[in-house]
């Protein structure tokens, strides 16, 4: 359950880096930060403007320094979540990050649940569902292709297309309703050719979006690529060469590969899933039950490949 009135805190960066960022968001974010942050400057955080950075120390309840940090302040509604937000850049030690989060909780915050910052951004109208998915995809991106797709979606590219499509559908609906309401009048609001052009354009737009989903899904999950050929044609050798390792057994004896073997591969262009398949012969030449089963598995691999 999301309690939007709570002030939440969590580490916003992966472990193991030299620098970490602890994020806090909510109505009391600034007042909580004031209790645990000792600035080196003269001004208190409550008097500071949004989009400002402040150097100082995070201290525990007894005034002992936990770490020297840079605190960035964002005021509502001009923040990622639409709420008052604080980001504390500290050293990446797991101990330091844990101490800062515990200190924030002691001062009145609570630990954020998974994805809660993005959920709050959605509830505040800062992003839509497509953009929220783009944020998750951006975090999970591992190559140039998935990064580019996620960046476009996070920036609202997909949402803009959907809004444009919605406007066209509303326009079409309005014209059709006018034609139906005044069918007996000698007034023509839209000729049949115009309506046909609008519907054709919408259909084309929808088909392109469906195709883009298939491409995006392939980029995220990996492009399934079946290696298919006759027995002993060198399919397993090709797979090993592509992967630069001895993943599949290679033999001069035909029929060594009996099952479809999936092998994941990734480089700077994207993810791939190579499927090494059993060699296929014409059905009329196959009388062995195991070979028939292997052929069926190869056909299934072809059907699920891109």
């Amino acid at each position: 359950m999301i309690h939007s009135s709570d002030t939440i805190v969590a580490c916003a960066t992966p472990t193991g880096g030299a620098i970490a960022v602890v994020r806090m968001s909510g109505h009391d974010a600034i007042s909580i930060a004031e209790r645990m942050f000792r600035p080196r400057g003269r001004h208190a955080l409550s008097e500071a403007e949004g989009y400002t950075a402040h150097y100082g120390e995070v201290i525990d309840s007894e005034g002992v320094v936990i770490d020297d940090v840079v605190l960035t302040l964002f005021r509502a509604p001009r923040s990622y979540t639409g709420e008052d937000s604080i980001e504390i850049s500290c050293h990446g030690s797991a101990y330091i990050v844990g101490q800062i989060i515990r200190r924030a909780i002691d001062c009145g915050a609570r630990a954020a649940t998974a994805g809660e910052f993005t959920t709050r951004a959605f509830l505040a109208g800062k992003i839509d569902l497509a953009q929220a998915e783009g944020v998750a995809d951006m975090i999970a991106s591992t190559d140039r292709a998935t990064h580019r797709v996620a960046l476009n979606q996070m920036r609202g590219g997909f949402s803009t297309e959907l809004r444009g499509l919605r406007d066209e559908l509303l326009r079409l609906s309005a014209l059709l309703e006018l034609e139906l309401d005044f069918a007996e009048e000698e007034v023509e609001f839209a000729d049949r050719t115009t309506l046909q052009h609008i519907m054709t354009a919408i259909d084309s737009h929808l088909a392109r979006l469906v195709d883009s989903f298939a491409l995006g899904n392939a980029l995220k999950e990996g492009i399934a690529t079946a290696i298919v050929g006759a027995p002993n044609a060198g399919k397993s050798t090709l797979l090993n060469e592509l992967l630069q390792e001895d993943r599949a057994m290679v033999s001069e004896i035909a029929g060594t590969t009996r099952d479809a073997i999936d092998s994941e591969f990734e480089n700077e262009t994207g993810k791939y899933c190579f499927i090494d398949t059993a060699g296929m012969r014409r059905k009329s030449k196959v009388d062995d039950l195991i070979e028939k089963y292997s052929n069926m598995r190869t056909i299934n691999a072809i059907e699920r490949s891109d």
Side-chain angles (χ1 to χ4, degrees):
M1 168 107 30
I2 302 296
H3 302 282
S4 59
S5 60
D6 294 348
T7 296
I8 56 176
V9 63
C11 183
T13 50
T15 58
I19 300 296
V21 175
V22 175
R23 177 183 290 169
M24 187 160 50
S25 179
H27 181 268
D28 297 324
I30 296 176
S31 63
I32 290 174
E34 281 193 307
R35 294 176 58 187
M36 56 187 287
F37 176 72
R38 186 162 59 199
R40 292 289 178 88
R42 299 178 180 178
H43 301 291
L45 291 180
S46 58
E47 302 171 354
E49 296 182 357
Y51 290 92
T52 55
H54 308 266
Y55 177 61
E57 304 163 335
V58 173
I59 56 176
D60 63 17
S61 58
E62 298 178 354
V64 177
V65 175
I66 296 175
D67 194 16
D68 287 353
V69 303
V70 174
L71 183 149
T72 310
L73 186 150
F74 304 89
R75 289 193 178 274
R78 301 181 62 191
S79 71
Y80 176 66
T81 60
E83 306 171 321
D84 287 341
S85 297
I86 296 290
E87 290 187 356
I88 300 174
S89 299
C90 61
H91 291 96
S93 159
Y95 171 77
I96 291 174
V97 171
Q99 287 294 101
I100 292 174
I101 291 175
R102 277 190 286 273
R103 177 65 174 137
I105 292 173
D106 290 342
C107 291
R110 69 165 174 83
T113 58
E116 189 169 358
F117 288 101
T118 299
T119 299
R120 291 192 175 199
F122 167 71
L123 293 175
K126 306 294 287 187
I127 58 174
D128 58 28
L129 284 175
Q131 289 173 294
E133 184 178 359
V135 172
D137 289 344
M138 175 68 84
I139 295 171
S141 64
T142 56
D143 53 70
R144 182 174 55 195
T146 53
H147 170 263
R148 185 169 62 249
V149 171
L151 182 63
N152 178 63
Q153 187 168 338
M154 189 178 72
R155 289 181 171 177
F158 184 60
S159 302
T160 300
E161 289 204 54
L162 288 179
R163 283 193 293 270
L165 183 59
R166 178 179 180 274
D167 292 341
E168 286 297 304
L169 287 169
L170 289 173
R171 178 188 170 202
L172 175 63
S173 176
L175 289 173
L176 289 173
E177 289 183 13
L178 282 171
E179 289 292 321
L180 291 172
D181 289 343
F182 298 95
E184 298 179 359
E185 305 292 335
E186 296 182 359
V187 179
E188 188 178 77
F189 293 94
D191 60 46
R192 299 299 181 266
T193 303
T194 301
L195 292 175
Q196 183 65 40
H197 285 164
I198 295 174
M199 286 187 284
T200 301
I202 291 174
D203 183 66
S204 175
H205 198 165
L206 285 171
R208 185 167 60 82
L209 287 177
V210 170
D211 290 341
S212 71
F213 170 78
L215 174 61
N217 193 58
L219 291 174
K220 287 166 58 178
E221 303 298 330
I223 301 171
T225 307
I227 304 175
V228 184
N232 213 26
K235 299 180 295 299
S236 298
T237 301
L238 175 59
L239 174 67
N240 289 342
E241 184 66 25
L242 289 168
L243 300 178
Q244 290 295 296
E245 62 176 283
D246 294 331
R247 183 71 61 85
M249 183 183 296
V250 177
S251 170
E252 295 180 358
I253 302 173
T256 302
T257 303
R258 289 291 193 174
D259 203 353
I261 303 171
D262 290 13
S263 299
E264 294 185 355
F265 175 75
E266 185 176 334
N267 61 17
E268 68 277 2
T269 64
K271 293 180 181 178
Y272 301 87
C273 179
F274 291 117
I275 310 170
D276 185 23
T277 62
M280 292 189 69
R281 297 191 296 165
R282 295 182 181 275
K283 288 184 178 180
S284 59
K285 295 185 178 182
V286 178
D287 52 13
D288 179 67
L289 183 61
I290 296 179
E291 188 174 355
K292 287 182 180 179
Y293 177 75
S294 296
N295 279 0
M296 290 174 55
R297 296 298 297 269
T298 298
I299 292 171
N300 289 336
I302 294 171
E303 290 176 344
R304 66 185 173 90
S305 69
D306 298 307

